[in-house]
Amino acid sequence: MRGLHPCNLGWLSYGALKGDGILIVVNTVGAALQTLYILAYLHYCPRKRVVLLQTATLLGVLLLGYGYFWLLVPNPEARLQQLGLFCSVFTISMYLSPLADLAKVIQTKSTQCLSYPLTIATLLTSASWCLYGFRLRDPYIMVSNFPGIVTSFIRFWLFWKYPQEQDRNYWLLQT
């Protein structure tokens, strides 16, 4: 289950602490959409107990993080730096996660497990955030999104090296 990713709530908190309206709006929308995804998934999931336990565990971890950043780090500047570092680590791990399939792609010489549209979206999103961070001179936003650009180009290279085969049934239906 993908669920509510700490990136949205972390960057939302970072934006609120920094007073950055763009970070607040974008990550509020992202958190709302992910919450709707969780609710829809829970509605249709046959193993509700496992999913509810995972969701409750994630919410507990998020509450612990919230308590740490907002209660145990009283200095706003230190909180901003620690929260920026926390968000950066999660964002970088999110961008690096598709490379877990790298060995499978090379071993099978197939990119069937990779999504070309998602690769394009990742490149555009990470480049936009990287430029936004550069404009603000915010190293946490800029540096954490740079791996998204790099991993997108790695996946583009993989698509070039191991092109996806077209589904024969699709071609038969078009004739």
Side-chain angles (χ1 to χ4, degrees):
M1 182 177 112
R2 170 110 162 58
L4 193 58
H5 201 275
C7 285
N8 282 121
L9 295 178
W11 286 116
L12 175 59
S13 298
Y14 183 81
L17 188 61
K18 196 171 180 182
D20 186 326
I22 291 176
L23 282 173
I24 293 169
V25 170
V26 168
N27 287 290
T28 298
V29 170
L33 290 174
Q34 287 186 342
T35 300
L36 289 174
Y37 169 80
I38 289 172
L39 293 174
Y41 188 85
L42 281 172
H43 179 72
Y44 293 106
C45 177
R47 303 175 324 180
K48 290 188 186 339
R49 182 174 180 205
V50 173
V51 175
L52 283 172
L53 183 62
Q54 289 174 338
T55 304
T57 302
L58 178 62
L59 287 174
V61 169
L62 290 173
L63 283 174
L64 284 172
Y66 178 83
Y68 171 77
F69 285 114
W70 295 98
L71 300 174
L72 297 178
V73 184
N75 180 343
E77 188 58 37
R79 186 182 314 145
L80 187 66
Q81 290 176 357
Q82 288 182 19
L83 191 54
L85 184 60
F86 172 82
C87 293
S88 295
V89 167
F90 274 100
T91 301
I92 290 169
S93 68
M94 177 191 69
Y95 282 133
L96 294 179
S97 64
L99 294 182
D101 293 327
L102 184 64
K104 181 180 177 183
V105 169
I106 292 171
Q107 184 181 31
T108 62
K109 297 182 180 354
S110 171
T111 54
Q112 296 289 41
C113 63
L114 300 177
S115 168
Y116 195 79
L118 184 60
T119 301
I120 293 171
T122 300
L123 175 64
L124 295 175
T125 302
S126 56
S128 298
W129 281 114
C130 202
L131 289 171
Y132 182 70
F134 181 75
R135 182 179 168 268
L136 295 179
R137 289 178 171 69
D138 187 320
Y140 298 113
I141 297 172
M142 188 174 28
V143 172
S144 66
N145 285 284
F146 187 73
I149 297 169
V150 173
T151 58
S152 294
F153 281 116
I154 291 171
R155 285 184 282 167
F156 283 132
W157 178 77
L158 288 170
F159 281 114
W160 173 78
K161 183 144 176 82
Y162 308 115
Q164 290 183 344
E165 296 177 15
Q166 296 294 327
D167 185 359
R168 291 182 182 269
N169 294 330
Y170 175 75
W171 290 106
L172 292 174
L173 290 174
Q174 283 189 346
T175 57

